[in-house]
């Protein structure tokens, strides 16, 4: 199988590229390296280019006969999206439409899209299943939701089948320490906590300890990056076997608070972690937990690396390795 991975040099995409290579696929990464890293592409070819560049995409599709496209490439920072929405609509919507246009031209019919829990907005109930209303509260979530909304039209008109995978909090790293999260700037909780443990940061700031949760800090559903990639692999088989277009929520189904994450990191690393407290971060819901029953029933997906200590241990191995990039 020839698989195009857009954004394959990024955090989740690079784990996917490695997994696809291990399964014998011919994988091609297309990435503009705006936030990704060429040395994270451990399988197949890396073609450096931007999704805004339609001629470059046409060249790529002409060169390879892709069986499917996995689309991880986007801007990903919720806070930034509020201040710079144009960048988010341009990259996450307009550039994705470019990609879909070239897929239509070359009659590539299978599309797997990285969506997000942020498409739901403020939860009306938890755990969140696929029937939960989608009322995104920031441009990042809205940009992903817009793409989710156009995909049924591409199915109807062009026969393009898609699976939208709405990740909750992607976390962890390749268990062998070969890959991990390398965002600049890093905004995600687990890598920041581990940077405080390793001494790369002075401390970790907890955004809000007055939420309506047992310890007052926000609860999230941390899902191991390897389990997310397995879901993509199953989604690919599903589409190749004639599955209909579907959207799935992907999480562990259990929530951990910010304080629980910090305590787990202390236990895993054996290091002291200095904690400071600040006001709530704008737009943070108190609790986000996924109901992944549908992914289990239809894709046969089940997360395996569900222990928070395992997720943190893998991220810690990576954090200790990252000194080589400093
Ligand atoms: N990390 C999470 O917790 C999380 C949660 C939900 C959804 N997602 C989604 O998963 C996907 C991957 O997230 P990530 O954490 O790996 O992000 P990342 O920033 O590490 O990776 C994104 C990659 O896409 C590339 N890219 C961006 N715009 C591009 C363009 N126009 N053309 C070509 N390449 C481009 C970047 O260089 C980078 O390599 C994103 O779509 C994100 O919205 C992530
Ligand atoms: O320095 C920090 C960083 C984060 N947090 C808190 O930690 C939790 C997790 O934050 P973060 O790791 O930034 O993830 P989220 O904001 O929950 O967003 C992630 O998870 C969402 C789905 O749940 C996805 O939509 C987003 O793309 C993805 O970035 C939140 O309560 C934050 O307020 C802190 O207290 N201090």
């Amino acid at each position: 199988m020839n698989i195009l991975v857009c954004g394959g040099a990024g955090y989740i995409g690079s784990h996917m590229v490695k997994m696809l290579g291990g399964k014998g696929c011919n994988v091609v990464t297309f990435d503009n390296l705006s936030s990704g890293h060429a040395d994270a592409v451990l399988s197949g070819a890396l073609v450096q280019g931007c999704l805004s560049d339609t001629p470059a995409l046409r060249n790529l599709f002409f060169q390879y006969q892709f069986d499917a496209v996995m689309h991880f490439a986007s801007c990903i920072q919720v806070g930034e999206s509020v201040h710079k929405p144009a960048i988010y609509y341009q990259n996450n919507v307009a550039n994705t439409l470019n990609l879909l246009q070239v897929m239509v031209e070359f009659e590539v019919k299978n599309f797997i899209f990285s969506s997000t829990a942020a498409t739901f907005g403020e939860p009306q109930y938890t755990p969140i299943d696929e029937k939960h209303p989608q009322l995104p509260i920031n441009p990042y979530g809205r940009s992903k939701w817009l793409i989710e909304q156009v995909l049924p039209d591409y199915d109807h008109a062009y026969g393009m089948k898609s699976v939208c995978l709405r990740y909750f909090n992607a976390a962890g790293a390749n268990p062998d320490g070969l890959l991990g999260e390398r965002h600049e700037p890093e905004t995600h909780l687990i890598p920041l906590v581990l940077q405080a443990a390793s001494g790369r940061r002075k401390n970790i700031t907890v955004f809000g300890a007055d939420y309506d949760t047992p310890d007052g800090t926000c609860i999230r559903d941390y899902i191991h990056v390897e389990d997310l990639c397995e879901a993509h692999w199953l989604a690919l088989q599903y589409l190749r076997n004639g599955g209909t277009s579907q959207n799935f929520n992907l999480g562990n189904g259990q929530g951990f608070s910010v304080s629980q994450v910090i305590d787990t990191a202390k236990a895993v690393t054996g290091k002291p972690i200095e904690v400071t407290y600040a006001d709530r971060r704008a737009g943070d819901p108190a609790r986000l937990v996924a109901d992944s029953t549908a992914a289990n029933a239809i894709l046969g997906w089940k997360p395996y690396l569900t222990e928070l200590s395992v997720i943190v241990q893998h991220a810690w191995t990576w954090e200790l390795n990252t000194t080589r990039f400093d």
Side-chain angles (χ1 to χ4, degrees):
M1 264 193 290
N2 287 342
I3 311 295
L4 173 61
V5 179
C6 298
Y11 166 44
I12 306 169
S14 62
H15 287 77
M16 192 71 236
V17 166
K18 184 173 182 304
M19 180 180 283
L20 289 170
K23 292 188 184 284
C25 296
N26 180 26
V27 50
V28 178
T29 292
F30 187 78
D31 199 301
N32 64 3
L33 302 181
S34 55
S35 62
H37 307 271
D39 60 14
V41 180
L42 300 183
S43 184
L46 165 63
V47 177
Q48 190 173 342
C50 184
L51 291 173
S52 60
D53 186 348
T54 307
L57 282 174
R58 289 198 178 110
N59 278 341
L60 184 72
F61 277 70
F62 185 73
Q63 201 181 341
Y64 301 92
Q65 277 74 55
F66 292 118
D67 298 292
V69 175
M70 294 186 180
H71 179 31
F72 297 87
S74 79
C75 299
I76 67 162
Q77 292 177 44
V78 173
E80 183 186 61
S81 78
V82 176
H83 304 293
K84 299 177 180 172
I87 296 175
Y88 280 70
Y89 291 119
Q90 190 62 44
N91 199 26
N92 298 2
V93 181
N95 290 347
T96 298
L97 295 179
N98 266 354
L99 172 64
L100 293 174
Q101 172 59 29
V102 178
M103 286 181 66
V104 170
E105 287 171 18
F106 285 80
E107 297 184 1
V108 178
K109 305 278 189 193
N110 299 315
F111 185 64
I112 300 177
F113 179 58
S114 299
S115 191
T116 167
T119 59
F120 292 110
E122 194 64 44
Q124 296 179 8
Y125 58 85
T126 55
I128 297 173
D129 59 16
E130 287 76 8
K131 294 192 187 74
H132 189 287
Q134 286 179 289
L135 298 165
I137 55 171
N138 51 61
Y140 168 70
R142 204 167 291 118
S143 72
K144 296 286 184 169
W145 177 68
L146 285 167
I147 295 301
E148 285 197 11
Q149 285 182 295
V150 305
L151 287 172
D153 295 335
Y154 282 70
D155 184 345
H156 178 73
Y158 310 120
M160 185 188 292
K161 302 295 172 198
S162 59
V163 170
C164 296
L165 298 175
R166 302 179 186 129
Y167 319 152
F168 281 58
N169 288 59
N174 170 262
D176 299 328
L178 298 173
L179 293 167
E181 204 163 350
R182 214 177 349 149
H183 293 131
E184 188 54 55
E186 185 58 72
T187 60
H188 290 141
L189 179 67
I190 291 178
L192 289 174
V193 169
L194 294 175
Q195 288 175 15
S198 71
R200 284 211 291 156
R201 304 177 69 81
K202 190 173 173 309
N203 53 38
I204 179 72
T205 302
V206 175
F207 298 138
D210 57 350
Y211 284 96
D212 183 18
T213 60
D215 65 22
T217 64
C218 282
I219 290 176
R220 292 289 180 274
D221 183 337
Y222 295 92
I223 175 77
H224 199 292
V225 62
E226 296 280 340
D227 282 326
L228 286 181
C229 292
E230 183 64 23
H232 285 71
W233 175 249
L234 292 171
L236 181 62
Q237 313 311 312
Y238 167 81
L239 289 178
R240 299 266 298 160
N241 290 330
T244 56
S245 296
Q246 296 273 354
N247 302 330
F248 297 108
N249 296 354
L250 299 182
N252 273 324
Q254 38 177 344
F256 294 98
S257 72
V258 173
S259 293
Q260 285 175 310
V261 168
I262 295 170
D263 289 345
T264 304
K266 284 181 184 162
V268 166
T269 65
K271 305 278 187 192
I273 297 173
E274 187 184 325
V275 180
T276 62
Y277 292 87
D279 290 344
R280 294 179 178 197
R281 192 172 65 177
D284 270 345
R287 187 188 296 265
L288 280 176
V289 178
D291 179 339
S292 298
T293 308
N296 180 255
I298 298 172
L299 299 180
W301 179 73
K302 184 177 179 300
Y304 285 98
L305 298 166
T306 53
E307 294 290 325
L308 184 61
S309 59
V310 171
I311 291 173
V312 171
Q313 176 62 62
H314 292 165
W316 177 236
T317 303
W318 173 248
E319 168 61 20
L320 294 177
N321 277 350
T322 50
T323 47
R324 72 179 190 270
F325 302 116
D326 289 344

